[in-house]
């Protein structure tokens, strides 16, 4: 693949235009920088306080803060909230302002440095192991968390031995029991610290994730890691107490004990049992064999959280309050978005067992080409939600979004069967049955990266396995639209490496009409596709003939049922108001509860106050957050355009039908198809590194874990063996694996 040297003057001119388009007012840039610095200072101060919490200095400092603030109407609960949860809310509020300053209309594409450089987030360190592919930045986080756990256990153990003298116990058995119970208490506290982080990664539209540009498919991994750690600590917490109670001969009595003042044991047992059930069913082997069991048992998180609050009471529960409250906010907003049914404008069933759905969306719902949506088909299941990467660019049309679904399990088999049945009914001209039988879709999202990082590399290598080509079709379409419209876009050299099992999957490439999007794209974009058909040794189709895809229009006319814009990654101002108003509502609700109920009636039962705190969280979201959602919905209805989406999708089926009979050897791009081979990443990466020279090469992989590991291993090898004036490979994963 040669260089496009004749296009250099043109490209330089385009980059100058991009710089002009990306020009941001100085006061905006300065304000964003100041906000970013303040956010980092707050986080570092909060994390430092947590890290040194096992020391006596920090304990005394915390006692002073509590003594200085507990005389307010919020009492000790307010003091713990101020120490543990308030910094998180402050960071979230500042993040909202920063995101609002960034704007939503056109993503900022920053020009890469002239010389290639390494980046912590894209340098794979660990490739094979229990954590999967781990980048340098993630490795630093894992090390810091591990150091804190070890440090806390050592410091608390030293303190626990010193505390034994205060209990006036003399026999070795009594000393062992006391030491077991104190150690169990310490494990419980460390588990609460981990729990404070546990719910943050699974708040899909969280402003915190958007602020640091971590998409939910990456954040889910952190939730998994933290979940294992948290449950291990809580299990040790419970186990140490159980052993101590058994040694005292009071095991049954303590297990069913429900104290009014102090920690209530029975709710803790119930909470731990729910957590253990979630933990066991989430282990990789059982989760893969029976995903539905994992999914349904994971709904026990409600039992886990509620009974945890009953177990520890309100003020200890507020140690984890921020993360749980932000998750509740996200879950409530997702509930509102998913209540709306959505029009499926058309479907396509490909011979390879892949289904394309084109879903109606409002014009003001923005996303980038590396987006994800969660889909529910109520005719198949009322509880199951499945994530799918978007296969269309936001520039393909304002009123629709497309996804590709590979038929792999029971749910997808039923979906394809329903679509084929509807197709037969339409072909037989049975309009009555058509109206009775339809597919009703509900959607959550879109989610994904806050910024389109695929636009920040001049050189891209996209590695896909099977249906993993879906997001790369969106990337390719996005880049072609931007080149054609002279919008900010850096990629000029693109290599797509696609590994498929059978040649009938090749038809998926024709879902992107490159020539129609950008007629002269070959003059401005150096595109090469290398396809590896692993289970066929030679072409199995007759020359000039390809299997036909089945096209269906399900909805008999557009009924105006688009995806809801009520999503955390949607309008920054409204989603920010939703968070701020709900948080202020929580403070008001707790204050009113204390003034008119808890203080006048001298309510001091720990478990009851913990339950009231959960109630205050739910009430503030329902009342204050619900009010913002209603106003947001009314504003969306008033400002959203009334156009029908026909101009976006009317020629989609015609385009596919026209291109089905095209020979792939005559495609509008360089497509090297190799049969009976697997990609040799060492040869592919090495040859293109020499061809492209000393540049940053963005590598994006979407496929099974084995493919990700292979690509990450080669990126690491190329970078470690790199010499001067050679390329640096930046590893990025776009795969979602629960």
């Amino acid at each position: 693949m040669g260089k496009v040297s004749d296009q250099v003057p043109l490209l330089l001119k385009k980059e100058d235009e991009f710089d002009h388009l990306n020009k941001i007012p100085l006061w905006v840039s300065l304000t964003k920088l100041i906000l970013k610095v303040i956010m980092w200072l707050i986080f570092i101060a909060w994390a430092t306080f947590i890290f040194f919490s096992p020391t006596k200095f920090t304990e005394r400092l915390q006692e002073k803060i509590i003594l200085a603030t507990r005389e307010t109407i919020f009492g000790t609960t307010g003091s713990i909230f101020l120490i543990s949860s308030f910094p998180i809310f402050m960071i979230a509020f500042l993040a909202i302002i920063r995101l609002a300053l960034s704007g939503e209309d056109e993503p900022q594409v920053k020009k890469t440095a002239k010389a290639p450089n390494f980046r912590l987030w894209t340098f794979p360190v660990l490739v094979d192991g229990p954590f999967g592919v781990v980048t340098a930045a993630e490795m630093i986080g894992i090390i810091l968390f591990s150091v804190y756990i070890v440090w806390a256990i050592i410091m608390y153990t030293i303190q626990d031995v010193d505390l034994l003298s205060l209990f006036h116990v003399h026999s070795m058995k009594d000393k062992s029991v006391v030491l077991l119970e104190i150690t169990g208490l310490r494990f419980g506290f460390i588990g609460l610290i981990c729990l404070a982080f546990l719910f943050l990664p699974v708040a899909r539209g969280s402003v915190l994730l958007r602020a640091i540009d971590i998409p939910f498919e990456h954040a889910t991994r952190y939730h998994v890691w933290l979940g294992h750690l948290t449950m291990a600590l809580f299990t040790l917490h419970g186990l140490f107490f159980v052993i101590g109670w058994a040694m005292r001969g009071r095991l049954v009595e303590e297990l069913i004990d429900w104290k009014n003042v102090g920690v209530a044991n029975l709710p803790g047992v119930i909470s731990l049992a729910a957590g253990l059930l979630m933990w066991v069913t989430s282990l990789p082997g059982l989760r893969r064999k029976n995903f539905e069991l994992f999914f349904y048992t994971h709904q026990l998180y409600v039992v886990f959280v509620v009974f945890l609050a009953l177990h520890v009471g309100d003020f200890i529960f507020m140690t984890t309050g921020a993360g749980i409250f932000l998750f509740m906010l996200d879950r409530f907003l997702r509930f509102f978005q998913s209540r709306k049914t959505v029009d499926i404008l058309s479907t396509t069933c490909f011979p390879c067992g892949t289904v394309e759905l084109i879903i109606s969306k409002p014009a003001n719902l923005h996303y980038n080409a590396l987006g994800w949506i969660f889909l529910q088909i109520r005719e198949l299941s009322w509880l199951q939600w499945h994530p799918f990467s978007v296969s269309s660019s936001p520039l393909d049309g304002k009123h629709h979004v497309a996804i590709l679904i590979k038929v792999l399990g029971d749910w997808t088999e039923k979906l394809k069967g329903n679509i084929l049945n509807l197709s037969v009914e339409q072909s037989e001209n049975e309009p009555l049955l058509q109206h009775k039988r339809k597919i009703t879709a509900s959607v959550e999202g879109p989610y994904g990266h806050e910024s389109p990082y695929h636009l920040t590399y001049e050189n891209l290598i996209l590695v896909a396995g099977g249906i993993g080509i879906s997001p790369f079709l969106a990337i390719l379409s996005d880049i072609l639209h931007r080149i054609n419209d002279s919008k900010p876009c850096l990629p000029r050299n693109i290599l797509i490496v696609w590994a498929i099992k059978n040649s009938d999957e090749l038809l998926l490439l024709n879902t992107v009409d490159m020539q129609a999007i950008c007629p002269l794209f070959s003059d401005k974009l150096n595109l090469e596709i290398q396809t590896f058909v692993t289970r066929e040794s030679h072409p199995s189709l007759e020359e000039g003939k390809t299997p036909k895809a089945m096209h269906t229009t399900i909805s008999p006319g557009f009924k105006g049922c688009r995806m809801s814009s009520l999503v955390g990654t949607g309008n920054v101002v409204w989603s920010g108001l939703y968070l701020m108003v709900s948080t202020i509502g929580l403070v008001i609700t707790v204050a009113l509860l204390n003034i008119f109920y808890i203080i006048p009636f001298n309510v001091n039962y720990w478990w009851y106050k913990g339950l009231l705190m959960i109630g205050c969280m739910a009430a503030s979201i329902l009342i204050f957050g619900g009010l913002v959602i209603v106003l947001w919905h009314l504003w969306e209805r008033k400002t959203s355009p009334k156009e029908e989406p026909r101009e976006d999708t009317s020629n989609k089926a015609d385009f596919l039908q026209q291109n089905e009979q095209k020979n792939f050897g005559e495609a509008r791009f360089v497509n090297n198809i190799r049969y009976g081979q697997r990609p040799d990443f060492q040869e592919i990466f090495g040859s293109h590194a020499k061809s492209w020279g000393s540049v940053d090469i963005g590598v994006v992989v979407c496929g099974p874990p084995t493919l990700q590991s292979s690509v990450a291993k080669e990126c690491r090898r190329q970078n470690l063996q790199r010499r001067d004036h050679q390329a640096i490979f930046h590893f990025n994963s776009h795969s979602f694996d629960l």
Side-chain angles (χ1 to χ4, degrees), residues 275-292:
L276 287 173
L277 190 56
M278 287 191 291
W279 190 23
V280 170
T281 55
S282 68
L283 295 176
L286 185 58
R287 185 181 72 240
R288 291 192 181 99
K289 290 181 181 178
N290 197 334
F291 180 82
E292 289 190 6

Side-chain angles (χ1 to χ4, degrees), residues 211-471:
I212 55 180
D213 199 16
I214 296 181
F216 87 94
E217 72 268 18
H218 290 185
T220 302
R221 303 172 68 217
Y222 312 146
H223 172 75
V224 172
W225 299 346
L226 285 168
H228 289 309
L229 178 60
T230 302
M231 286 313 305
L233 290 167
F234 281 155
T235 301
L236 290 173
H237 164 69
L239 184 62
F240 275 49
F241 271 102
V242 166
I243 295 173
W245 294 335
M247 292 176 66
R248 290 181 186 273
R250 292 182 47 82
L251 178 59
V252 177
E253 294 90 335
E254 292 289 351
L255 286 175
I256 63 174
D257 182 58
W258 192 314
K259 297 183 182 70
N260 289 326
V261 179
V263 173
N265 294 339
L266 183 56
V269 172
I270 297 172
S271 178
L272 181 59
L276 287 173
L277 190 56
M278 287 191 291
W279 190 23
V280 170
T281 55
S282 68
L283 295 176
L286 185 58
R287 185 181 72 240
R288 291 192 181 99
K289 290 181 181 178
N290 197 334
F291 180 82
E292 289 190 6
L293 178 64
F294 154 75
F295 179 81
Y296 293 134
T297 54
H298 232 64
Q299 309 312 309
L300 290 173
Y301 73 85
V302 178
V303 176
F304 175 78
V305 170
V306 171
F307 279 89
L308 175 66
L310 296 175
H311 174 55
V312 298
D314 59 333
F315 67 93
I316 299 178
F317 180 73
M318 285 314 296
T319 304
T320 64
I324 292 175
F325 186 71
L326 290 175
F327 173 76
M328 292 172 65
L329 278 169
D330 180 75
R331 191 67 192 86
F332 188 65
L333 188 58
R334 283 161 45 197
F335 169 76
F336 261 89
Q337 187 192 28
S338 63
R339 287 182 70 252
K340 186 175 183 179
T341 56
V342 181
D343 281 336
I344 297 180
L345 300 177
S346 67
T347 66
T348 302
C349 291
F350 293 94
C352 58
T354 298
V355 175
E356 182 186 50
L357 301 183
I358 298 181
I359 302 171
S360 175
K361 81 169 191 68
N364 56 358
L365 180 59
H366 301 283
Y367 68 98
N368 69 54
L370 284 167
W372 292 79
I373 65 171
F374 277 76
L375 187 70
Q376 178 205 55
I377 305 295
R378 295 180 182 177
E379 285 76 14
L380 306 182
S381 173
W382 278 80
L383 295 177
Q384 291 188 44
W385 289 84
H386 295 265
F388 299 101
S389 58
V390 173
S391 61
S392 61
S393 164
L395 300 177
D396 283 334
K398 295 181 179 180
H399 301 285
H400 82 277
V401 60
I403 58 174
L404 291 173
I405 301 173
K406 181 69 174 178
V407 178
L408 293 173
D410 294 338
W411 188 88
T412 50
E413 283 283 0
K414 292 178 182 177
L415 174 62
K416 182 179 178 181
N418 281 20
I419 292 173
L420 292 176
N421 290 338
L422 286 172
S423 302
V424 171
E425 290 171 4
Q426 287 187 6
S427 64
E428 293 177 353
N429 297 319
E430 298 181 10
L432 294 178
L433 287 175
Q434 178 182 338
H435 285 289
K436 291 180 180 179
R437 290 171 52 88
K438 63 179 181 178
I439 298 178
T440 304
S442 297
V443 178
E444 287 183 7
Y447 305 108
H449 278 274
E450 183 67 18
S451 61
Y453 69 86
H454 62 282
L455 299 177
T456 63
Y457 296 102
E458 291 187 8
N459 309 278
L460 279 174
I461 297 180
L462 310 177
V463 183
I467 195 61
I469 194 67
S470 176

Side-chain angles (χ1 to χ4, degrees), residues 603-615:
V603 177
N604 57 8
Y605 289 1
W606 284 26
W607 66 268
Y608 185 49
K609 292 175 72 176
L611 183 62
L612 290 175
M613 181 56 66
I614 291 287

Side-chain angles (χ1 to χ4, degrees), residues 18 21 106 395 481-489 492:
F18 296 161
L21 290 172
E106 186 62 46
L395 300 177
H481 275 293
R482 290 179 176 280
I483 290 175
N484 189 65
D485 300 339
S486 298
K487 291 189 174 184
C489 176
R492 296 302 172 185

